[in-house]
Amino acid sequence: MVLTGPWSAELADRLVESNFVQWQYGARFLPAESVPLHPVVEEAAGLVPDSGVERHRFFDLATNSRPVLEFWVSQELFVTGVFAQLLSLASSALVNVHQRARFNLVLQGEHGGVKDGVARASHPWLLHKLAHSMGIEPDSVTPAEPTYAFLRDLASAMSSPVAALGALGVGNEQMLVPEYGAVKRAFECAAPEVDHGDFLNANIYEDTEHSALIAHIASELIAHDPSLAQDYLTAARSSVSARMRYYDRLADLFA
C-alpha cells in the first residue's frame, strides 16, 4: 500500500526561494483589505449556470441504469481524492497567512475532523462508504481514460495561484452543487435503497460556502493586481469546459 504521493524537491525549493526573492512584509503578515467581488469573479461564476451541467445527458443515463451510476461512483473515487490534494497544493501558494487560513477552511471542510485515526466526515471517506454500500469491490476500481484526462486538464488549468482559484473554485466547488444535485436525483431513481445522502449532501451544502470563500480571496488578489483577472477567468472557463467534456466522454462510453 502506497501511503505517499509524488514529491518534488524542486517545487519545495522554489517555494522557499520565492519567499526571499519577492519578500514583502505586509503581503505576508497583514490582513488583506476586504473588497467586493470583482466583476471578473462574478462573470466567472456565471459560467456554471450557463453550462447546464445538471441537464447533461450522462445523468439521464445514470437515472435509468444502476451500473452507470456505480461507474460514476467508481470514477469519483479518483476525482475526489485528487481534488483534495490539489486544494492543498493551491493553499501552499497563498502567501498571506490570513488568506491562507481562510482558504484552509475549504480544506477543513473537505477533510473534516479526525476521531480514532479516521477522518469520518471527510469527503473521500464518505465516498468510500457510499461505494462500499453499493457493493463496489476495491479491486474492481480502475480509472477510465476520461477520468485521467479530466484530472490532467484540471491540473493544467492551475497555471498560477490565481488560476488555481478559478479552476478549483468555479469549475469544481461551485459546479459540484448543480452536478451533485443531478447525481442525487439519479440515485433516487436508479438506486433508492442506497444511503447516498451523507456524501452528496456534504458536497452540496459545503461547496456553496467553499466556492464563496475562494471567490472572495480571488477578488482580493485581483484587486491588488488587476493583471491577474484574465488568468482567473481563463482557468474558470477551462475547468468548466473540462468538466463538461468529462461527462461527454463518460456518456459516450455507454452510448
Side-chain angles (χ1 to χ4, degrees):
M1 181 183 296
V2 179
L3 296 180
T4 59
W7 180 254
S8 170
E10 179 184 359
L11 180 61
D13 182 69
R14 285 166 54 196
L15 187 149
V16 173
E17 182 70 16
S18 68
N19 275 274
F20 288 91
V21 173
Q22 302 172 3
W23 175 263
Q24 291 179 328
Y25 189 96
R28 284 161 172 75
F29 296 103
L30 301 183
E33 180 181 357
S34 179
V35 299
L37 284 180
H38 193 278
V40 163
V41 174
E42 292 186 320
E43 180 182 351
L47 296 170
V48 173
D50 289 348
S51 74
V53 63
E54 70 276 14
R55 299 185 297 276
H56 196 283
R57 61 191 172 96
F58 176 81
F59 299 120
D60 290 332
L61 295 170
T63 296
N64 294 289
S65 172
R66 177 171 175 139
V68 174
L69 193 56
E70 289 179 354
F71 177 76
W72 179 87
V73 172
S74 74
Q75 297 310 296
E76 201 66 11
L77 288 165
F78 294 97
V79 174
T80 296
V82 173
F83 175 70
Q85 290 178 279
L86 291 176
L87 282 173
S88 298
L89 181 63
S91 174
S92 72
L94 292 174
V95 168
N96 185 272
V97 62
H98 308 286
Q99 290 177 331
R100 191 166 61 248
R102 285 156 53 206
F103 187 88
N104 283 350
L105 294 175
V106 179
L107 275 172
Q108 180 181 336
E110 292 287 331
H111 292 86
V114 178
K115 183 177 181 181
D116 299 328
V118 179
R120 300 180 187 278
S122 71
H123 293 185
W125 178 253
L126 294 176
L127 180 57
H128 154 74
K129 291 175 63 180
L130 173 57
H132 179 74
S133 71
M134 296 187 79
I136 297 174
E137 294 293 336
D139 290 344
S140 72
V141 177
T142 58
E145 197 280 331
T147 306
Y148 178 71
F150 164 68
L151 290 170
R152 291 299 300 266
D153 286 344
L154 175 58
S156 295
M158 297 171 58
S159 58
S160 68
V162 75
L165 298 184
L168 299 175
V170 178
N172 290 269
E173 293 284 13
Q174 184 186 348
M175 203 162 183
L176 284 185
V177 177
E179 177 186 329
Y180 276 24
V183 174
K184 190 173 182 179
R185 290 188 292 273
F187 265 100
E188 291 167 354
C189 292
E193 77 286 357
V194 173
D195 185 7
H196 57 273
D198 285 350
F199 172 68
L200 295 178
N201 290 337
N203 281 276
I204 292 170
Y205 297 150
E206 292 178 20
D207 286 356
T208 299
E209 180 182 353
H210 291 176
S211 63
L213 278 168
I214 294 173
H216 279 93
I217 294 172
S219 294
E220 293 166 4
L221 295 176
I222 295 170
H224 178 72
D225 183 355
S227 70
L228 300 177
Q230 192 57 49
D231 281 353
Y232 180 87
L233 184 58
T234 297
R237 283 177 176 153
S238 294
S239 61
V240 169
S241 295
R243 195 71 174 177
M244 295 300 290
R245 187 163 56 250
Y246 171 59
Y247 280 115
D248 287 342
R249 298 183 70 188
L250 290 189
D252 288 343
L253 294 177
F254 294 94

